[in-house]
């Protein structure tokens, strides 16, 4: 990534910092076009109406979440603190954003206007009051995570008559984006490798979401360029520094701990999905390097053995204390740890692209039906992903043929409007999933688990209704 001379680059200046690929500058951005397109939303609604598996179970998971209720009332704050400061109130922000997203998603599936109105009320309340994010270095995490999530919720209601789109865009430009942009430029004045990949990835997600939501093509390209070539640990070759024989790509943060590795994979998948919906193939970049890294983390998280190359990174502040830290081996795992990250990634590679990825499908089956914020505990880690992938990302068939060259620089659609196709280099008898169960079996398991879970959710709701009537 090209760095500004000692200062953060604001949204208005990024056009001079990064060249936009020829042919991309004038291409309109797609709306809705962050994690969900119009076709995605239509598919969800049709599948749920038909009672199709596993969509129905995914929708039951959504409707059971307390954040997805039209009675949710926002509590906007002028200043949000994370890590330090008084009051440390960032929990209010992430709970409200997830309520906005879940209500907006529920509206698109069910058509119930009350949920759209609730989402709009939450987002308008925050865009009318929030002025800045403060705290320790964790303020950069707050900007990245809650920035990309706010944009996704807002993208789902951008056409609503009561939604203040301009004010929401200004919130992204003036509050969330500047911190994420500055982090990618200066890394909090630290040595560039001081921060593990997930820090960069939160910032990339926010910058990309800002560019799309605010129709700033140069900002989109800035995020894409950093993903490919950035100096920090979140760029794809630094997050996945080694591709082992057999096709597994070592996720560097697996040497830290499982939770942060899962966070990183979820964030990289989020970046790839948002880019894909704008015609930019980061999923397939560098011979589908992300597929190899995601397979590695999925296998490891399922309890499988994976190789790890010792990694030493420099730490400390520029001009101040410095040192180093070495991760010598992969960290231990808890096979019961679950995050709602797998359905989106697995469906892209196996259904859109027709590539083998059985560790991903097994992880997705295990997590199905995926929930969202509020389903994975009350702490911030349970709100790092928007979730509901079983509902949102399950696909029926291969949507794009496999073959052709890996994406060219810029990764945009070619002159014919078709994404460049990527090769994952599957070898007969030795593909990425050679030691795992087949993808078909994995998806069958996901559908079965989803059906059971959906039935249980419906039974619980009916039981609560009976108890309520009795009381």
């Amino acid at each position: 990534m090209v760095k500004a001379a000692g200062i953060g680059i604001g949204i208005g200046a990024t056009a001079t910092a990064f060249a936009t690929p020829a042919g991309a500058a004038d291409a309109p951005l797609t709306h809705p076009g962050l994690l969900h397109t119009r076709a995605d939303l239509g598919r969800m609604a049709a599948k749920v109406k038909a009672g199709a598996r596993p969509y129905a179970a995914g929708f039951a998971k959504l409707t059971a979440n307390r954040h997805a209720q039209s009675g949710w009332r926002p509590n906007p704050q002028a200043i949000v603190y994370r890590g330090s400061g008084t009051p440390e109130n960032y929990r209010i922000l992430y709970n409200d954003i997830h309520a906005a997203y879940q209500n907006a998603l529920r509206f698109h599936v069910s058509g119930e206007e009350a949920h759209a109105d609730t989402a709009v009320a939450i987002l308008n309340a925050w865009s009318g009051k929030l002025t800045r994010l403060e705290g320790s270095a964790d303020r950069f995490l707050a900007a990245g995570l809650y920035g990309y999530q706010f944009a996704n919720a807002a993208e789902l209601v951008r056409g609503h008559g009561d939604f203040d789109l301009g004010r929401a865009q200004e919130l992204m430009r003036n509050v969330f984006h500047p911190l994420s942009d500055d982090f990618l430029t200066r890394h909090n004045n630290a040595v560039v490798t001081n921060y593990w990949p997930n820090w960069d990835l939160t910032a990339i997600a926010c910058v990309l979401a800002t560019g799309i939501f605010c129709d700033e093509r140069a900002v989109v390209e800035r995020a894409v360029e950093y993903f490919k070539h950035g100096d920090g640990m979140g760029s794809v070759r630094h997050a996945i520094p080694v591709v082992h024989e057999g096709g597994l790509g070592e996720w560097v943060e697996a040497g830290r701990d499982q939770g942060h590795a899962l966070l990183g994979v979820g964030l990289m998948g989020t970046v790839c999905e948002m880019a894909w919906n704008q015609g930019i193939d980061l999923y397939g970049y560098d011979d589908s390097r992300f597929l190899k890294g995601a397979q590695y983390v999925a296998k490891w998280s399922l309890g499988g053995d994976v190789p790890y190359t010792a990694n030493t990174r420099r730490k400390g502040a520029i001009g101040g204390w410095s040192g180093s830290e070495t991760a010598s081996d992969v960290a231990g795992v808890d096979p019961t740890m679950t995050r709602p990250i797998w359905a989106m990634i697995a469906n892209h590679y196996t259904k859109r692209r027709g590539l083998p990825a059985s560790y991903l499908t097994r992880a997705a089956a295990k997590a199905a039906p995926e929930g969202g914020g509020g389903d994975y505990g009350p702490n911030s880690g349970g709100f790092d992903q928007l979730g509901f992938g079983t509902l949102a990302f399950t696909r029926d068939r291969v949507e794009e043929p496999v073959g052709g060259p890996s994406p060219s620089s810029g990764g945009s659609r070619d002159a014919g409007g078709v994404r460049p196709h990527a090769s994952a280099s599957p070898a007969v008898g030795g593909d990425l999933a050679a030691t795992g169960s087949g993808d078909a079996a994995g998806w069958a398991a996901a559908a079965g688990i989803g059906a059971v879970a959906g039935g249980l959710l419906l039974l619980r709701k009916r039981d609560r209704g009976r108890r309520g009537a009795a009381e």
Side-chain angles (χ1 to χ4, degrees):
M1 177 183 140
V2 179
K3 292 185 179 180
I7 60 171
I9 303 174
I11 191 167
T14 53
T16 61
F18 290 90
T20 302
D26 298 327
L29 294 170
T30 299
H31 299 291
L34 286 171
L35 285 175
H36 313 300
T37 65
R38 194 170 306 282
D40 293 333
L41 297 167
R43 181 185 66 248
M44 293 179 227
K47 292 291 189 180
V48 169
K49 183 178 181 180
R53 299 182 186 178
Y55 303 89
F59 187 61
K61 192 79 172 176
L62 172 64
T63 59
N65 193 302
R66 72 183 185 90
H67 295 77
Q69 311 310 313
S70 60
W72 189 279
R73 296 293 177 264
N75 183 18
Q77 308 289 304
I79 304 172
V80 166
Y81 299 93
R82 177 166 174 166
S84 64
T86 303
E88 195 177 358
N89 56 355
Y90 67 101
R91 295 171 182 82
I92 298 172
L93 175 59
Y94 68 64
N95 274 282
D96 275 2
I97 289 174
H98 280 256
Y101 172 77
Q102 291 180 29
N103 271 279
L105 189 62
R106 185 170 178 177
F107 158 70
H108 279 285
V109 177
S110 70
E112 298 172 274
E113 293 284 349
H115 295 289
D117 294 342
T118 297
V120 167
I122 296 168
L123 296 166
N124 282 349
W126 278 94
S127 68
K129 189 163 185 178
L130 182 62
T131 59
R132 65 183 193 272
L133 303 172
E134 300 285 355
S136 66
D138 282 6
R139 69 190 184 279
F140 294 107
L141 295 177
L145 289 167
Y146 313 141
Y148 95 75
Q149 292 173 358
F150 183 94
N152 269 277
E155 183 79 349
L156 292 178
V157 295
R158 69 183 293 140
H160 192 286
D162 294 331
F163 178 56
D164 196 330
L165 174 61
R167 201 168 69 191
Q169 290 174 325
E170 288 304 303
L171 181 63
M172 290 300 302
R173 289 188 179 105
N174 298 331
V175 177
F176 293 113
H177 174 269
L179 281 170
S180 292
D181 178 273
D182 185 70
F183 187 83
L184 294 180
T185 304
R186 297 193 296 173
H187 288 88
N188 197 28
N189 295 315
V191 176
V192 71
T193 54
N194 185 75
Y195 292 96
W196 287 98
N198 67 83
W199 289 78
D200 268 1
L201 287 164
T202 64
I204 296 169
C206 180
V207 171
L208 180 60
T210 301
I212 296 169
F213 182 65
C214 297
D215 287 300
E216 295 274 0
R217 171 66 70 174
V219 179
V220 171
E221 297 300 338
R222 170 172 172 71
V224 169
E225 175 68 12
Y226 196 95
F227 177 94
K228 294 178 177 180
H229 305 299
D231 291 337
M233 294 187 74
S235 60
V236 67
R237 279 186 166 242
H238 290 143
I240 309 167
V242 180
V243 176
H244 294 279
E245 185 176 355
L248 291 178
E250 183 175 304
W251 191 269
V252 68
E253 210 154 358
R256 183 186 182 190
D257 62 61
Q258 183 183 8
H260 285 98
L262 293 173
L263 168 61
V265 170
L267 288 167
M268 189 170 284
T270 294
V271 169
C272 289
E273 185 69 16
M274 293 190 297
W276 177 270
N277 287 334
Q278 297 301 325
I280 303 167
D281 189 2
L282 298 182
Y283 277 118
Y285 178 72
D286 195 18
D287 199 26
S288 295
R289 196 178 192 93
F290 176 50
L291 167 60
K292 299 165 186 176
Q295 281 270 84
Y296 176 99
V297 175
K299 180 182 181 182
W300 168 59
S301 291
L302 289 166
D305 293 329
V306 293
Y308 191 83
T309 306
N311 179 280
T312 299
R313 64 190 183 94
R314 293 182 60 227
K315 298 172 60 178
I318 296 174
W321 174 86
S322 65
S324 64
E325 179 181 63
T326 299
S328 300
D329 200 358
V330 69
V333 297
D334 175 3
T336 66
M337 184 179 289
T338 304
R339 293 288 185 272
I341 65 173
W342 299 114
M344 176 174 64
I345 305 166
N347 273 278
H348 172 81
Y349 286 116
T350 67
K351 300 295 184 67
R352 273 182 179 151
R353 303 309 312 280
L355 299 173
S358 69
Y359 297 123
L360 289 176
T361 58
R362 287 170 56 195
K366 185 177 179 180
E370 289 181 356
D375 290 319
Y376 299 91
N379 298 324
S380 61
F383 292 81
D384 286 341
Q385 283 84 35
L386 289 168
F388 301 104
T390 305
L391 168 65
F393 302 110
T394 298
R395 301 175 188 280
D396 289 332
R397 58 184 174 81
V398 175
E399 296 179 356
E400 302 230 3
V402 178
S406 294
S408 59
S409 177
S412 300
R413 292 177 184 268
D414 63 19
V418 180
R419 290 181 185 86
H421 301 306
S423 167
S425 301
V428 176
D431 60 54
L432 297 179
T435 59
S437 63
D439 291 321
W443 288 127
I449 293 170
V452 172
L456 289 173
L457 281 168
L458 291 171
L459 286 172
R460 288 171 188 159
K461 289 174 70 177
R462 290 171 185 162
D463 186 53
R464 284 199 300 269
R466 293 190 189 103
R467 290 201 305 269
E471 291 168 358

